[in-house]
Amino acid sequence: MTNVLKEDPHRAVILGASSGGTAILEMLLEEDLVEVIAVVDRNADAPGLALAREHGITVFSDLEEALKNSVPCVVFNMTNNEMVEAVASEILGAGGVIGGMEAKLILRIINNMKKAKAELHFQASHDLLTGLYNRRYMMDQLHQGVSQAIRYQHSYAVAMIDLDHFKQVNDLHGHAAGDLVLSHMARVLRECVRESDVPGRWGGEEFIVLLPHTTLRGAKKAADTWLNHLNESPVRLESGEIVTVGFSAGIAMLEGNEKADVNTLVNRLLHVADGRMYRAKDQGRNRVMIEGDIPDAVHSEGS
């Protein structure tokens, strides 16, 4: 055993493959200084065992067999079992086992790091006020959606939405009231869109919804539902005043047989949806437009 450790002093075994052991394994899989050579758990359904197998790591159900066959230099005892730790210490020596309070501290650090990473990911992809996806994320999704629509030749619609008279809300009631209205609009979208649709905040009082496998008529029907729901659910401000909210929306669609490149089609979709949104404003607001001087569907040859 001594010779093996001198040749490869970074071999680790994880005892316990439940949530704690799985978290340790996930961390060590990204760490070059340590190689996990085995995971041990009597529960064949433990999630860490499945993860270990995915990465070609040997799994054991018997502790002594695992340690004698694997010859590790360090063991992470995530079982919270003192008897398990005693057996491991007898085989490796007390210095070869990380368990007890040390294991709990390591696990807490890992969980805090995972939480911080998740928070950073959320902030990078979401609008912090409304909780919807932000513009950058929506652009990524739009490019992916258009690419798939062309590849598999299915329809794909985009709805561009602008809240009506939003400046008046800010001017009359203050920006805090405006924030309430924006959050309310986001809540309406989350409650009303289909599971496959992707709603996001485009910027200011503008929102966008991506609707895969959807025709112009289908997208209009969906947007009319959002609008009716918004009209019928006024916002109560902190002052007690009630504000009724509406929006103007424009919809554009791909048929899926277009020949232009993805960037051209994305720009065209946004242009058409934006133009129809302003046409809805010009025709009296609080409505959804799917027609206008711009073609209903995009048939661009790269122009």
Side-chain angles (χ1 to χ4, degrees):
M1 183 182 300
T2 303
N3 291 336
V4 173
L5 295 185
K6 285 182 178 180
E7 292 173 4
D8 188 1
H10 307 299
R11 299 159 60 88
V13 168
I14 298 174
L15 308 182
S18 59
S19 58
T22 302
I24 289 286
L25 177 57
E26 289 173 341
M27 179 193 73
L28 294 181
L29 285 172
E30 299 178 358
E31 178 55 64
D32 294 334
L33 294 177
V34 177
E35 177 190 3
V36 179
I37 55 175
V39 177
V40 186
D41 201 301
R42 290 183 177 180
N43 178 11
D45 297 324
L49 297 185
L51 180 60
R53 291 190 182 97
E54 287 179 16
H55 290 270
I57 299 171
T58 306
V59 301
F60 292 90
S61 60
D62 183 81
L63 170 60
E64 294 189 38
E65 178 188 3
L67 297 185
K68 290 177 180 178
N69 289 347
S70 300
V71 196
C73 68
V74 65
V75 164
F76 291 87
N77 178 26
M78 307 309 298
T79 65
N80 200 31
N81 186 315
E82 293 182 359
M83 185 174 296
V84 168
E85 190 157 334
V87 172
S89 297
E90 184 177 345
I91 296 174
L92 295 181
V97 181
I98 298 175
M101 184 59 69
E102 288 179 315
K104 290 179 181 178
L105 287 174
I106 291 174
L107 186 57
R108 178 171 294 184
I109 292 171
I110 292 173
N111 288 334
N112 287 341
M113 290 174 62
K114 289 173 66 175
K115 183 178 179 181
K117 186 176 181 180
E119 181 63 26
L120 287 173
H121 177 74
F122 181 88
Q123 292 181 13
S125 59
H126 287 73
D127 172 63
L128 297 184
L129 173 64
T130 64
L132 294 179
Y133 292 117
N134 60 24
R135 185 172 183 141
R136 187 171 79 171
Y137 181 89
M138 294 301 291
M139 280 297 291
D140 289 342
Q141 291 297 301
L142 181 54
H143 276 81
Q144 291 181 32
V146 168
S147 178
Q148 291 179 2
I150 298 305
R151 180 177 181 181
Y152 298 108
Q153 297 190 341
H154 63 73
S155 58
Y156 189 88
V158 173
M160 189 71 73
I161 300 168
D162 187 86
L163 293 177
D164 294 330
H165 305 298
F166 182 75
K167 187 176 183 300
Q168 293 182 17
V169 174
N170 280 333
D171 291 344
L172 292 175
H173 305 287
H175 289 282
D179 288 348
L180 282 177
V181 169
L182 291 172
S183 297
H184 180 66
M185 176 62 194
R187 189 158 49 248
V188 167
L189 289 178
R190 278 194 296 268
E191 291 174 355
C192 295
V193 299
R194 302 171 305 180
E195 186 175 349
S196 59
D197 299 335
V198 186
R201 186 181 179 191
W202 197 239
E205 64 270 28
E206 287 190 358
F207 296 80
I208 188 172
V209 181
L210 312 181
L211 303 98
H213 299 277
T214 307
T215 64
L216 276 178
R217 298 293 174 182
K220 185 179 188 306
K221 182 178 180 180
D224 283 336
T225 299
W226 312 335
L227 181 57
N228 291 335
H229 190 88
L230 186 66
N231 290 161
E232 294 170 0
S233 57
V235 180
R236 180 180 294 276
L237 306 181
E238 293 183 358
S239 63
E241 295 179 83
I242 300 296
V243 175
T244 301
V245 186
F247 65 68
S248 299
I251 294 173
M253 183 199 76
L254 290 176
E255 291 183 339
N257 57 357
E258 291 77 10
K259 302 301 181 182
D261 64 88
V262 172
N263 287 333
T264 298
L265 293 173
V266 165
N267 291 334
R268 184 63 174 164
L269 272 175
L270 293 174
H271 174 70
V272 172
D274 193 62
R276 289 178 178 160
M277 180 185 73
Y278 282 103
R279 185 175 176 83
K281 295 279 188 189
D282 292 340
Q283 294 199 4
R285 295 183 170 84
N286 206 49
R287 65 193 64 214
V288 179
M289 294 294 300
I290 62 172
E291 299 174 343
D293 295 333
I294 305 170
D296 288 346
V298 180
H299 293 288
S300 176
E301 294 292 339
S303 62

CSV table of all heavy atoms in Angstrom, one decimal, residues 62-101:
chain,number,residue,atom,x,y,z
A,62,ASP,N,-19.6,-2.9,0.1
A,62,ASP,CA,-18.8,-3.3,1.3
A,62,ASP,C,-17.7,-2.4,1.5
A,62,ASP,O,-16.8,-2.2,0.7
A,62,ASP,CB,-18.4,-4.7,1.2
A,62,ASP,CG,-17.7,-5.2,2.4
A,62,ASP,OD1,-18.4,-5.6,3.4
A,62,ASP,OD2,-16.4,-5.2,2.5
A,63,LEU,N,-17.6,-1.8,2.7
A,63,LEU,CA,-16.6,-0.8,3.1
A,63,LEU,C,-15.2,-1.4,3.0
A,63,LEU,O,-14.3,-0.9,2.4
A,63,LEU,CB,-16.8,-0.2,4.5
A,63,LEU,CG,-15.8,0.6,5.1
A,63,LEU,CD1,-15.4,1.8,4.2
A,63,LEU,CD2,-16.2,1.0,6.5
A,64,GLU,N,-14.9,-2.5,3.8
A,64,GLU,CA,-13.6,-3.1,3.8
A,64,GLU,C,-13.1,-3.6,2.5
A,64,GLU,O,-11.9,-3.4,2.1
A,64,GLU,CB,-13.6,-4.3,4.8
A,64,GLU,CG,-13.9,-3.8,6.3
A,64,GLU,CD,-13.6,-4.9,7.3
A,64,GLU,OE1,-12.7,-5.7,7.1
A,64,GLU,OE2,-14.4,-5.0,8.2
A,65,GLU,N,-14.0,-4.1,1.7
A,65,GLU,CA,-13.6,-4.6,0.4
A,65,GLU,C,-13.2,-3.4,-0.5
A,65,GLU,O,-12.2,-3.4,-1.2
A,65,GLU,CB,-14.8,-5.3,-0.3
A,65,GLU,CG,-14.5,-5.8,-1.7
A,65,GLU,CD,-15.7,-6.3,-2.4
A,65,GLU,OE1,-16.8,-6.3,-1.8
A,65,GLU,OE2,-15.6,-6.8,-3.6
A,66,ALA,N,-13.9,-2.3,-0.4
A,66,ALA,CA,-13.6,-1.1,-1.2
A,66,ALA,C,-12.3,-0.5,-0.8
A,66,ALA,O,-11.5,-0.2,-1.7
A,66,ALA,CB,-14.7,-0.1,-1.0
A,67,LEU,N,-12.0,-0.4,0.5
A,67,LEU,CA,-10.7,0.2,0.9
A,67,LEU,C,-9.5,-0.7,0.6
A,67,LEU,O,-8.4,-0.2,0.2
A,67,LEU,CB,-10.7,0.5,2.4
A,67,LEU,CG,-11.8,1.6,2.8
A,67,LEU,CD1,-11.7,1.9,4.2
A,67,LEU,CD2,-11.7,2.8,1.9
A,68,LYS,N,-9.6,-2.0,0.7
A,68,LYS,CA,-8.5,-2.9,0.5
A,68,LYS,C,-8.2,-3.0,-1.0
A,68,LYS,O,-7.1,-3.2,-1.4
A,68,LYS,CB,-8.8,-4.3,1.1
A,68,LYS,CG,-8.7,-4.2,2.6
A,68,LYS,CD,-9.1,-5.5,3.3
A,68,LYS,CE,-9.0,-5.5,4.8
A,68,LYS,NZ,-9.4,-6.8,5.4
A,69,ASN,N,-9.3,-3.0,-1.8
A,69,ASN,CA,-9.1,-3.1,-3.3
A,69,ASN,C,-8.7,-1.8,-4.0
A,69,ASN,O,-8.0,-1.8,-4.9
A,69,ASN,CB,-10.4,-3.7,-4.0
A,69,ASN,CG,-10.7,-5.1,-3.6
A,69,ASN,OD1,-9.8,-5.8,-3.1
A,69,ASN,ND2,-11.9,-5.6,-3.9
A,70,SER,N,-9.2,-0.7,-3.4
A,70,SER,CA,-8.9,0.6,-4.1
A,70,SER,C,-7.6,1.2,-3.7
A,70,SER,O,-7.0,2.0,-4.4
A,70,SER,CB,-10.1,1.5,-3.7
A,70,SER,OG,-11.3,1.0,-4.2
A,71,VAL,N,-7.2,0.9,-2.4
A,71,VAL,CA,-5.9,1.5,-1.9
A,71,VAL,C,-5.9,3.0,-2.0
A,71,VAL,O,-5.0,3.6,-2.7
A,71,VAL,CB,-4.7,0.9,-2.6
A,71,VAL,CG1,-3.4,1.2,-1.8
A,71,VAL,CG2,-4.8,-0.6,-2.8
A,72,PRO,N,-6.8,3.7,-1.4
A,72,PRO,CA,-6.8,5.2,-1.5
A,72,PRO,C,-5.8,5.8,-0.5
A,72,PRO,O,-5.3,5.1,0.4
A,72,PRO,CB,-8.3,5.5,-1.0
A,72,PRO,CG,-8.6,4.4,0.0
A,72,PRO,CD,-7.9,3.2,-0.5
A,73,CYS,N,-5.6,7.1,-0.7
A,73,CYS,CA,-4.7,7.8,0.3
A,73,CYS,C,-5.6,8.6,1.2
A,73,CYS,O,-5.2,9.0,2.3
A,73,CYS,CB,-3.7,8.7,-0.5
A,73,CYS,SG,-4.5,10.1,-1.3
A,74,VAL,N,-6.9,8.9,0.8
A,74,VAL,CA,-7.8,9.6,1.6
A,74,VAL,C,-9.2,9.1,1.4
A,74,VAL,O,-9.5,8.7,0.3
A,74,VAL,CB,-7.7,11.2,1.3
A,74,VAL,CG1,-8.1,11.5,-0.1
A,74,VAL,CG2,-8.5,12.0,2.4
A,75,VAL,N,-10.0,9.2,2.5
A,75,VAL,CA,-11.4,8.8,2.4
A,75,VAL,C,-12.2,9.9,3.0
A,75,VAL,O,-11.9,10.5,4.0
A,75,VAL,CB,-11.6,7.5,3.3
A,75,VAL,CG1,-13.1,7.3,3.6
A,75,VAL,CG2,-11.0,6.3,2.6
A,76,PHE,N,-13.3,10.2,2.2
A,76,PHE,CA,-14.3,11.2,2.7
A,76,PHE,C,-15.4,10.4,3.3
A,76,PHE,O,-16.2,9.8,2.5
A,76,PHE,CB,-14.7,12.1,1.6
A,76,PHE,CG,-13.7,13.0,1.1
A,76,PHE,CD1,-12.8,12.6,0.1
A,76,PHE,CD2,-13.6,14.3,1.6
A,76,PHE,CE1,-11.8,13.5,-0.4
A,76,PHE,CE2,-12.6,15.2,1.1
A,76,PHE,CZ,-11.7,14.8,0.1
A,77,ASN,N,-15.6,10.5,4.6
A,77,ASN,CA,-16.7,9.8,5.2
A,77,ASN,C,-17.9,10.7,5.3
A,77,ASN,O,-18.0,11.5,6.2
A,77,ASN,CB,-16.3,9.3,6.6
A,77,ASN,CG,-17.5,8.6,7.3
A,77,ASN,OD1,-18.4,8.0,6.7
A,77,ASN,ND2,-17.5,8.6,8.6
A,78,MET,N,-18.9,10.5,4.4
A,78,MET,CA,-20.1,11.3,4.4
A,78,MET,C,-21.3,10.6,4.9
A,78,MET,O,-22.4,11.0,4.7
A,78,MET,CB,-20.4,11.8,2.9
A,78,MET,CG,-19.2,12.4,2.2
A,78,MET,SD,-18.4,13.8,3.2
A,78,MET,CE,-19.8,14.9,3.3
A,79,THR,N,-21.0,9.5,5.7
A,79,THR,CA,-22.1,8.7,6.2
A,79,THR,C,-22.6,9.2,7.6
A,79,THR,O,-23.7,8.9,8.0
A,79,THR,CB,-21.7,7.3,6.4
A,79,THR,OG1,-20.7,7.2,7.4
A,79,THR,CG2,-21.2,6.7,5.1
A,80,ASN,N,-21.8,10.1,8.2
A,80,ASN,CA,-22.1,10.5,9.6
A,80,ASN,C,-22.2,9.4,10.6
A,80,ASN,O,-23.0,9.4,11.5
A,80,ASN,CB,-23.4,11.4,9.6
A,80,ASN,CG,-23.5,12.3,10.8
A,80,ASN,OD1,-22.5,12.7,11.4
A,80,ASN,ND2,-24.7,12.5,11.3
A,81,ASN,N,-21.5,8.3,10.3
A,81,ASN,CA,-21.5,7.1,11.1
A,81,ASN,C,-20.1,6.9,11.7
A,81,ASN,O,-19.2,6.7,11.0
A,81,ASN,CB,-21.9,5.9,10.2
A,81,ASN,CG,-22.1,4.6,11.0
A,81,ASN,OD1,-21.3,4.3,11.8
A,81,ASN,ND2,-23.2,3.9,10.7
A,82,GLU,N,-20.1,6.9,13.0
A,82,GLU,CA,-18.8,6.8,13.7
A,82,GLU,C,-18.1,5.4,13.5
A,82,GLU,O,-16.9,5.3,13.5
A,82,GLU,CB,-18.9,7.1,15.2
A,82,GLU,CG,-19.3,8.6,15.5
A,82,GLU,CD,-19.4,8.9,16.9
A,82,GLU,OE1,-19.2,7.9,17.7
A,82,GLU,OE2,-19.7,10.0,17.3
A,83,MET,N,-19.0,4.4,13.5
A,83,MET,CA,-18.4,3.0,13.3
A,83,MET,C,-17.8,2.9,11.9
A,83,MET,O,-16.7,2.3,11.8
A,83,MET,CB,-19.6,2.0,13.4
A,83,MET,CG,-19.1,0.6,13.4
A,83,MET,SD,-20.4,-0.6,13.7
A,83,MET,CE,-20.8,-0.2,15.4
A,84,VAL,N,-18.4,3.5,10.9
A,84,VAL,CA,-17.8,3.5,9.5
A,84,VAL,C,-16.5,4.2,9.6
A,84,VAL,O,-15.5,3.7,9.0
A,84,VAL,CB,-18.7,4.1,8.5
A,84,VAL,CG1,-18.0,4.4,7.2
A,84,VAL,CG2,-20.0,3.3,8.3
A,85,GLU,N,-16.4,5.3,10.3
A,85,GLU,CA,-15.2,6.1,10.4
A,85,GLU,C,-14.1,5.3,11.1
A,85,GLU,O,-12.9,5.3,10.7
A,85,GLU,CB,-15.4,7.4,11.0
A,85,GLU,CG,-14.3,8.4,11.0
A,85,GLU,CD,-14.7,9.8,11.1
A,85,GLU,OE1,-15.9,10.1,10.8
A,85,GLU,OE2,-13.9,10.6,11.6
A,86,ALA,N,-14.5,4.6,12.1
A,86,ALA,CA,-13.5,3.8,12.9
A,86,ALA,C,-12.9,2.7,12.0
A,86,ALA,O,-11.7,2.4,12.1
A,86,ALA,CB,-14.2,3.2,14.1
A,87,VAL,N,-13.7,2.0,11.2
A,87,VAL,CA,-13.3,0.9,10.4
A,87,VAL,C,-12.3,1.5,9.3
A,87,VAL,O,-11.2,1.0,9.1
A,87,VAL,CB,-14.4,0.2,9.7
A,87,VAL,CG1,-13.9,-0.8,8.6
A,87,VAL,CG2,-15.3,-0.5,10.7
A,88,ALA,N,-12.7,2.6,8.7
A,88,ALA,CA,-11.8,3.3,7.7
A,88,ALA,C,-10.5,3.7,8.3
A,88,ALA,O,-9.4,3.6,7.7
A,88,ALA,CB,-12.5,4.4,7.1
A,89,SER,N,-10.5,4.3,9.5
A,89,SER,CA,-9.3,4.7,10.2
A,89,SER,C,-8.4,3.6,10.6
A,89,SER,O,-7.2,3.7,10.5
A,89,SER,CB,-9.7,5.5,11.5
A,89,SER,OG,-10.4,6.7,11.2
A,90,GLU,N,-9.0,2.4,10.9
A,90,GLU,CA,-8.2,1.3,11.2
A,90,GLU,C,-7.4,0.8,10.0
A,90,GLU,O,-6.2,0.3,10.1
A,90,GLU,CB,-9.1,0.2,11.8
A,90,GLU,CG,-8.3,-1.1,12.2
A,90,GLU,CD,-9.2,-2.1,12.8
A,90,GLU,OE1,-10.4,-1.8,13.1
A,90,GLU,OE2,-8.8,-3.3,13.0
A,91,ILE,N,-8.0,0.9,8.8
A,91,ILE,CA,-7.4,0.4,7.6
A,91,ILE,C,-6.3,1.4,7.1
A,91,ILE,O,-5.2,1.1,6.7
A,91,ILE,CB,-8.4,0.1,6.5
A,91,ILE,CG1,-9.3,-1.0,7.0
A,91,ILE,CG2,-7.8,-0.2,5.2
A,91,ILE,CD1,-10.5,-1.3,6.1
A,92,LEU,N,-6.7,2.7,7.1
A,92,LEU,CA,-5.9,3.8,6.5
A,92,LEU,C,-5.0,4.5,7.5
A,92,LEU,O,-4.1,5.2,7.1
A,92,LEU,CB,-6.7,4.8,5.7
A,92,LEU,CG,-7.5,4.3,4.5
A,92,LEU,CD1,-8.3,5.4,3.9
A,92,LEU,CD2,-6.6,3.7,3.5
A,93,GLY,N,-5.4,4.5,8.8
A,93,GLY,CA,-4.8,5.4,9.7
A,93,GLY,C,-5.7,6.6,9.9
A,93,GLY,O,-6.4,7.0,9.0
A,94,ALA,N,-5.7,7.2,11.1
A,94,ALA,CA,-6.6,8.3,11.4
A,94,ALA,C,-6.4,9.5,10.5
A,94,ALA,O,-7.4,10.1,10.1
A,94,ALA,CB,-6.4,8.8,12.9
A,95,GLY,N,-5.2,9.7,10.0
A,95,GLY,CA,-5.0,10.8,9.1
A,95,GLY,C,-5.5,10.6,7.7
A,95,GLY,O,-5.6,11.6,6.9
A,96,GLY,N,-6.0,9.5,7.4
A,96,GLY,CA,-6.4,9.2,6.1
A,96,GLY,C,-7.9,9.3,5.9
A,96,GLY,O,-8.5,9.1,4.8
A,97,VAL,N,-8.6,9.7,7.0
A,97,VAL,CA,-10.1,9.8,6.9
A,97,VAL,C,-10.5,11.2,7.2
A,97,VAL,O,-10.1,11.8,8.2
A,97,VAL,CB,-10.7,8.8,7.9
A,97,VAL,CG1,-12.3,9.0,7.8
A,97,VAL,CG2,-10.3,7.4,7.6
A,98,ILE,N,-11.3,11.8,6.3
A,98,ILE,CA,-11.9,13.1,6.6
A,98,ILE,C,-13.4,12.9,6.9
A,98,ILE,O,-14.2,12.4,6.0
A,98,ILE,CB,-11.8,14.0,5.3
A,98,ILE,CG1,-10.3,14.3,5.0
A,98,ILE,CG2,-12.5,15.3,5.5
A,98,ILE,CD1,-10.1,15.1,3.8
A,99,GLY,N,-13.8,13.1,8.1
A,99,GLY,CA,-15.2,12.9,8.5
A,99,GLY,C,-15.6,13.8,9.6
A,99,GLY,O,-14.9,14.8,9.9
A,100,GLY,N,-16.7,13.5,10.3
A,100,GLY,CA,-17.1,14.3,11.4
A,100,GLY,C,-17.3,15.7,11.1
A,100,GLY,O,-17.9,16.1,10.0
A,101,MET,N,-16.8,16.6,11.9
A,101,MET,CA,-16.9,18.0,11.7
A,101,MET,C,-16.3,18.5,10.4
A,101,MET,O,-16.8,19.4,9.8
A,101,MET,CB,-16.3,18.8,12.9
A,101,MET,CG,-16.6,20.3,12.9
A,101,MET,SD,-18.3,20.8,12.8
A,101,MET,CE,-18.8,20.3,14.5
